[in-house]
Amino acid sequence: MNAVILLFPGTNRERDMAIALEKATGRKPAILFHQETALPPGTDLVVLPGGFSHGDYLRCGAMAARSPIMPAVQDFAARGGHILGVCNGFQILAEAGLLPGALLRNASLRFLSMDCHLRVERTDTPFTSRWQQGEVFRAPMAHGDGNYFADDATLERLEKDGRVAFRYVTPGGEVTEAANRNGARNNIAGIVSENRRILGMMPHPEDLVDPLMGGTDGLPLFESIADTFAAA
Amino acid sequence: MSPSAEPKMTKAIVTVMPKAGVLDPQGKAIGHALGTLGFGGVGEVRTGKIIELELAETDPAKARALAEEMARKLLANTVIESFRVELA
């Protein structure tokens, strides 16, 4: 499986992402700079990691979403390519219009750096097949703008089509306001595209893939990706 | 007046505001702080941003259309923000 991690100025989670992908798939991902205009031939998965691309100027992800590599990513998506965006990567995918909605400033105005619990809302996606439906896992989060917003009509469509991949919940799996620290609508932590091949999520599964990191709760996401391409 | 060799510029002012119904925690915090300072009677407070552009386009209609295109493509995220363009 050929994964490509995009690197924007201010991206800082690319190494953890590379470790997680290599651990699950056995292949080292390529790292591609934002000024490139084409993806390497044979790319299976494009990953937009976390960080603070372009210093979060204007809006988080706004500049990166308009960088030279992005038309190639749009083409890749249009051809049914698989894309994973985590944290700033999710913000970039939303700014690029590859996923609906936007990530607003956290409702508390605080930068949130802590563990959260996510409930897996569907397992028939290339990113979640290793989990059980409704399973709860722990993931670190670290963001100032993770408050998922979509207008009522968009939100209704997302829910109706089952495009919510992960929700913020209590460790016991309950959707509560307290578990929803950034104020996201419907406790949404991650969503998929209509064809379920694009996933955007705020928390960082790549930061829990080894006992040395304090756990392996995030590993199933990368193993699911490995399965997707092993089966293909 | 002698004709100037300098190309004339038009200044466009783009105001970007969160749309109605979009949570504006900064506005809320500012409203709260105003209350703390003793300012009564302050209703909703909304925060946005102003972007000033110097454009090498002297035709006002064209300058406005250009600034609006820039706003749609980059300056505002129309999922959450509305914008208006004024020429100075």
Side-chain angles (χ1 to χ4, degrees):
Chain A
M1 189 203 91
N2 299 312
V4 173
I5 299 177
L6 300 186
L7 188 65
F8 302 92
T11 296
N12 60 18
R13 312 304 301 158
E14 73 280 5
R15 276 169 293 187
D16 313 66
M17 192 60 85
I19 290 167
L21 285 164
E22 190 177 352
K23 190 178 170 80
T25 69
R27 291 283 298 269
K28 228 185 226 327
I31 298 213
L32 194 68
F33 203 46
H34 69 120
Q35 281 169 331
E36 299 292 334
T37 53
L39 297 169
T43 296
D44 294 309
L45 172 76
V46 172
V47 182
L48 292 84
F52 301 87
S53 58
H54 297 270
D56 282 348
Y57 286 176
L58 191 64
R59 297 176 306 275
C60 298
M63 304 295 172
R66 280 118 186 129
S67 53
I69 190 61
M70 288 309 285
V73 176
Q74 295 273 4
D75 282 354
F76 180 72
R79 291 197 311 271
H82 290 74
I83 305 176
L84 168 65
V86 171
C87 198
N88 189 220
F90 184 15
Q91 295 164 340
I92 296 167
L93 290 177
E95 276 285 338
L98 286 167
L99 288 172
L103 285 310
L104 303 178
R105 183 69 49 91
N106 293 342
S108 63
L109 287 175
R110 292 202 178 101
F111 188 94
L112 297 169
S113 178
M114 56 186 62
D115 281 356
C116 61
H117 288 85
L118 302 181
R119 192 175 72 194
V120 181
E121 299 294 274
R122 67 184 299 166
T123 56
D124 53 347
T125 83
F127 307 95
T128 57
S129 54
R130 281 283 185 115
W131 276 298
Q132 300 295 316
Q133 183 80 26
E135 199 174 335
V136 175
F137 68 101
R138 186 167 59 97
M141 65 170 164
H143 60 248
D145 299 68
N147 178 354
Y148 183 76
F149 174 87
D151 61 35
D152 292 342
T154 307
L155 202 64
E156 199 177 312
R157 206 179 66 232
L158 284 176
E159 293 287 0
K160 195 173 109 278
D161 297 346
R163 286 172 55 187
V164 178
F166 304 114
R167 259 184 250 276
Y168 300 107
V169 293
T170 63
E174 275 177 88
V175 174
T176 66
E177 217 177 299
N180 193 30
R181 291 207 168 89
N182 57 26
R185 291 199 83 181
N186 292 14
N187 286 48
I188 289 173
I191 55 170
V192 290
S193 59
E194 216 171 330
N195 67 5
R196 287 178 255 158
R197 290 182 174 190
I198 305 177
L199 168 68
M201 64 187 297
M202 286 311 298
H204 292 274
E206 77 279 14
D207 285 352
L208 276 183
V209 296
D210 192 292
L212 278 175
M213 294 171 164
T216 56
D217 295 56
L219 194 55
L221 187 135
F222 299 95
E223 292 172 335
S224 300
I225 293 172
D227 288 351
T228 299
F229 289 98
Chain B
M1 291 257 288
S2 62
S4 161
E6 287 285 304
K8 280 175 76 181
M9 307 291 280
T10 304
K11 191 184 230 181
I13 299 166
V14 183
T15 304
V16 180
M17 293 298 293
K19 280 184 179 171
V22 174
L23 187 73
D24 177 16
Q26 285 191 91
K28 275 208 169 69
I30 292 167
H32 183 76
L34 288 172
T36 306
L37 288 173
F39 291 104
V42 179
E44 198 185 11
V45 180
R46 305 283 283 172
T47 58
K49 47 178 95 86
I50 289 179
I51 300 158
E52 293 185 353
L53 304 166
E54 234 177 36
L55 303 174
E57 173 58 70
T58 51
D59 180 272
K62 283 184 188 160
R64 176 180 294 278
L66 196 60
E68 283 174 356
E69 193 190 347
M70 290 175 184
R72 274 192 301 274
K73 284 197 173 157
L74 175 65
L75 307 180
N77 177 345
T78 54
V79 173
I80 47 170
E81 295 166 327
S82 60
F83 65 88
R84 77 170 179 270
V85 172
E86 289 158 283
L87 300 182

